Structures are given as C-alpha cells and as structure tokens.
Amino acid sequence: MGTFLISKRKNDEFQFVLKAGNGQVILASEGYKTKAACENGIESVRKNSQLVDRFDKLESKNGKPYFNLKASNGQIIGNSEMYESAAARDNGIESVFKNAPEAEVKEEL
C-alpha cells in the first residue's frame, strides 16, 4: 500500500510525495503555502490519478521519459522522476493509479 508523506521545505512551503509500497517515490508535488492546500493537493491526486487522460507522458531535453499528473483545470499537481525508458515511466503511472486512492497520509514536519 502506498503512502502520501507531507513535509516542509526550507522555504516553509509544504509539499507531498506519493511513495509506493516499496518506499520508492513515484510522484512529487509542487510547494504549497499552507498545510490545508497541500492536503487538497493530495485529494486532487486521489481523484485525478484514476483518469488516464490526466497523465501527460513527456520527455526531458536529455531524452529521459517522465510524466506529469494534471487536475481538471490543467494545473500540474504532481510530477515523476526521470526514467530510463518509456516502459519504466508507464510502470510509474500504473503505480500511481494503484497506490494513490487508498494511500495513507503521514507527516514528517
């Protein structure tokens, strides 16, 4: 089972990561000014991760595949690491799809 981990950045913004059952980070958020906004971001990931068209499959300038998860308004609510292959990126998307809906929320503040 996955876990959302809320933490605080050096600039006092809140952020979350979604970790798979094996502890690997599969999605990272932007910075949020409040903890409540961060928690809303988590709820948005739960909902939007179940819609295939909300995942943008992309490639970095150096050719590494990655993905972004977008909300219904088009705003990016999470992004992935850089992967070595498109297949690995697609596995990352599948992991978000499987883990996000029931993931436990923990804090590391």
Side-chain angles (χ1 to χ4, degrees):
M1 184 163 123
T3 304
F4 284 104
L5 182 61
I6 298 173
S7 61
K8 218 170 186 189
R9 294 179 172 177
K10 289 180 183 176
N11 65 0
D12 280 340
E13 288 185 335
F14 294 88
Q15 73 174 40
F16 66 83
V17 295
L18 174 61
K19 293 185 174 188
N22 64 5
Q24 183 178 4
V25 174
I26 50 177
L27 190 74
S29 77
E30 63 181 0
Y32 295 93
K33 295 202 183 307
T34 66
K35 185 177 163 198
C38 187
E39 290 168 337
N40 286 341
I42 289 171
E43 290 310 309
S44 184
V45 168
R46 288 189 198 279
K47 287 186 275 189
N48 290 289
S49 66
Q50 301 307 291
L51 303 168
V52 175
D53 64 331
R54 299 290 164 82
F55 288 93
D56 281 344
K57 296 179 180 183
L58 304 164
E59 194 172 285
S60 68
K61 289 179 184 175
N62 66 359
K64 300 248 184 200
Y66 71 101
F67 66 87
N68 288 333
L69 176 61
K70 292 185 172 182
S72 58
N73 64 3
Q75 183 178 355
I76 295 171
I77 50 178
N79 52 35
S80 74
E81 65 179 356
M82 299 293 165
Y83 291 96
E84 293 301 318
S85 68
R89 175 199 56 210
D90 293 348
N91 286 341
I93 290 171
E94 182 64 26
S95 187
V96 172
F97 179 83
K98 284 194 295 191
N99 284 282
E102 301 296 322
E104 181 181 6
V105 178
K106 294 183 178 181
E107 296 179 5
E108 196 173 78
L109 302 173

